């Protein structure tokens, strides 16, 4: 395609609108511009092509043979563009909004609030994909990821949704009165981890502990993890916001607190978001409040 020698798109649109409407007034109304603007674009197009596209000898403008030839080509071209645009936009509208997050975040934060979004947006179908694995955001796939960390994920745009550090917790009954002053004091205890993650190992590595766990390690869905922790079945790494009530009431003990400045972020691909995704993100922002 020789783009450098193509006429300006504005003049082609004006000419095609005129050929379809039959006069400059209706063409201007179709493009939401004045009829004089249409006339200027028509003259500019003739000047660019060096050919007479309109016969001005009569009381009304009429297409010359060259003008009729160009009008047919533009009708086919713009018609194909319009069809493709409609297919793309309709496909995007028909596709459900796809959101991914961890099962723990879904159970403790998102699901209790989600009925409010659905009540305000009954026309938006939603697919919620709770997984502990890091899922790649691709066009036509997942629209929004709600991820925990510092927000520095290459290739994604992020903003903080829920700021909260990580905390290592256990039920008082599990500890049996033992004093915990270093990570090594926990190595012989059972540990609980959310499926798809390795919080225990990563936390111990971050503390410089090279020795592995001696106690058993159990992986289970995030919506069951905190039940098991409160039942005294193991030590776990959690987001502090999810256990504030249990800590305040003494049902759990915070053994170590890590990661100030971290939290759950809204993560999306760069570029223009679907209208459904923009509405969901706007709703998420309104949910920012103390846990």
């Amino acid at each position: 395609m020789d783009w450098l020698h193509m006429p300006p798109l504005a003049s082609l649109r004006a000419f095609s609108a005129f050929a379809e409407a039959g006069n400059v007034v209706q063409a201007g109304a179709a493009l939401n511009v004045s009829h004089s603007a249409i006339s200027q674009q028509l003259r500019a197009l003739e000047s660019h092509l060096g050919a007479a596209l309109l016969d001005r000898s009569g009381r009304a403008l009429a297409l010359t043979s060259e003008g009729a030839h160009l009008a047919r080509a533009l009708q086919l071209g713009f018609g194909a563009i319009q069809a493709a645009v409609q297919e793309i936009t309709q496909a995007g509208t028909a596709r459900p909004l796809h959101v991914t997050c961890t099962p723990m975040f879904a159970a403790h934060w998102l699901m209790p609030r989600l009925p409010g979004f659905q009540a305000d947006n009954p026309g938006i179908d939603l697919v919620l994909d709770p997984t502990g694995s890091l899922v790649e955001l691709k066009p036509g796939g997942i629209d929004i990821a709600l991820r925990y960390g510092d927000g520095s994920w290459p290739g994604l745009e992020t903003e903080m949704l829920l700021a909260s550090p990580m905390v290592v917790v256990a039920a008082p009954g599990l500890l049996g009165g033992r004093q915990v002053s270093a990570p090594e004091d926990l190595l012989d205890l059972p540990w609980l981890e959310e499926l798809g993650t390795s919080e225990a190992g990563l936390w111990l590595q971050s503390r410089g502990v090279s020795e592995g766990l001696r106690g058993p390690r159990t992986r289970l869905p995030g919506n069951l993890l905190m039940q098991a922790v409160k039942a005294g079945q193991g030590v776990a790494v959690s987001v502090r916001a999810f256990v504030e009530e249990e800590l305040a009431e003494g049902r759990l003990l915070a053994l170590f607190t890590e990661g100030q400045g971290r939290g759950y972020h809204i993560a999306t691909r760069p570029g223009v978001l679907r209208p459904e995704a923009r509405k969901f993100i706007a709703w998420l922002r309104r949910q920012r409040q103390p846990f």
Side-chain angles (χ1 to χ4, degrees), residues 115-135:
F117 174 79
Q118 294 169 323
D120 294 339
N121 302 273
I124 297 180
D125 293 331
L126 182 67
V127 173
L128 182 60
D129 184 10
T131 176
S133 303
L134 195 62
V135 181

Side-chain angles (χ1 to χ4, degrees), residues 91-104:
T93 302
R95 183 168 62 86
L97 179 66
H98 202 154
V99 179
T100 184
C101 62
T102 65
M104 185 176 294

Side-chain angles (χ1 to χ4, degrees), residues 10-91:
S11 63
L12 293 175
R13 290 175 69 237
F15 180 76
S16 186
F18 168 81
E20 181 178 326
N23 63 72
V24 294
V25 174
Q26 292 183 24
L31 296 180
N32 197 28
V33 299
S34 67
H35 68 276
S36 60
I38 296 293
S39 297
Q40 291 174 3
Q41 291 290 356
L42 296 179
R43 292 187 182 279
L45 180 59
E46 288 179 311
S47 177
H48 183 96
L49 296 176
L53 303 175
L54 301 170
D55 182 356
R56 295 177 173 83
S57 61
R59 296 184 59 184
L61 294 177
L63 297 177
T64 63
S65 58
E66 291 85 356
H69 179 60
L70 179 60
R72 287 191 295 270
L74 291 176
Q75 184 179 30
L76 291 173
F78 284 130
I81 293 172
Q82 182 181 39
V85 169
Q86 288 178 343
E87 288 176 2
I88 293 171
T89 55
Q90 289 172 0

Side-chain angles (χ1 to χ4, degrees), residues 25-291:
V25 174
Q26 292 183 24
L31 296 180
N32 197 28
V33 299
S34 67
H35 68 276
S36 60
I38 296 293
S39 297
Q40 291 174 3
Q41 291 290 356
L42 296 179
R43 292 187 182 279
L45 180 59
E46 288 179 311
S47 177
H48 183 96
L49 296 176
L53 303 175
L54 301 170
D55 182 356
R56 295 177 173 83
S57 61
R59 296 184 59 184
L61 294 177
L63 297 177
T64 63
S65 58
E66 291 85 356
H69 179 60
L70 179 60
R72 287 191 295 270
L74 291 176
Q75 184 179 30
L76 291 173
F78 284 130
I81 293 172
Q82 182 181 39
V85 169
Q86 288 178 343
E87 288 176 2
I88 293 171
T89 55
Q90 289 172 0
T93 302
R95 183 168 62 86
L97 179 66
H98 202 154
V99 179
T100 184
C101 62
T102 65
M104 185 176 294
F105 182 82
H108 289 271
W109 194 93
L110 185 57
M111 290 305 298
R113 294 167 170 79
L114 198 57
F117 174 79
Q118 294 169 323
D120 294 339
N121 302 273
I124 297 180
D125 293 331
L126 182 67
V127 173
L128 182 60
D129 184 10
T131 176
S133 303
L134 195 62
V135 181
E136 184 179 358
L137 276 64
K138 296 181 179 180
I142 293 173
D143 296 286
I144 300 169
L146 303 172
R147 293 183 178 176
Y148 186 87
D150 60 6
S152 58
W153 295 294
L156 295 179
E157 294 183 352
T158 64
E159 64 174 283
M160 181 71 80
L161 174 62
L162 173 65
S164 180
M166 299 294 286
V167 61
V168 180
V169 295
L174 177 70
L175 299 178
R178 75 165 65 190
Q179 297 297 313
V180 177
S181 58
E184 288 81 359
D185 298 330
L186 303 173
L187 293 179
D188 61 333
L189 292 175
W191 279 74
L192 304 171
E193 290 181 322
E194 186 173 9
L195 281 171
T197 67
S198 55
E199 291 106 334
L202 292 175
W203 180 75
L204 291 169
Q205 291 175 17
S206 72
R207 282 302 194 100
V209 178
S210 57
E211 187 179 355
L213 292 174
R214 296 187 292 272
R217 183 184 308 193
T218 302
R219 294 181 172 88
L220 65 168
N223 58 331
L224 302 178
L225 178 65
M226 295 316 302
Q227 296 180 27
V229 175
K230 288 183 282 188
Q233 297 178 18
V235 181
V237 180
S238 175
V239 178
R240 187 178 181 94
F242 298 158
V243 294
E244 286 288 6
E245 183 177 340
E246 288 79 4
L247 294 175
E249 295 175 354
R251 287 182 285 157
L252 291 179
L253 300 176
L255 308 177
F256 301 93
T257 300
E258 309 285 350
Q260 297 293 338
R262 296 166 66 86
Y264 279 96
H265 291 73
I266 304 168
T268 59
R269 297 185 308 276
V272 178
L273 297 176
R274 297 167 55 200
E276 295 83 0
R278 293 199 298 270
K279 288 182 179 180
F280 190 77
I281 290 174
W283 173 79
L284 287 173
R285 290 168 178 153
R286 294 195 294 272
Q287 309 309 305
R288 289 182 179 138
Q289 57 186 6
F291 190 83

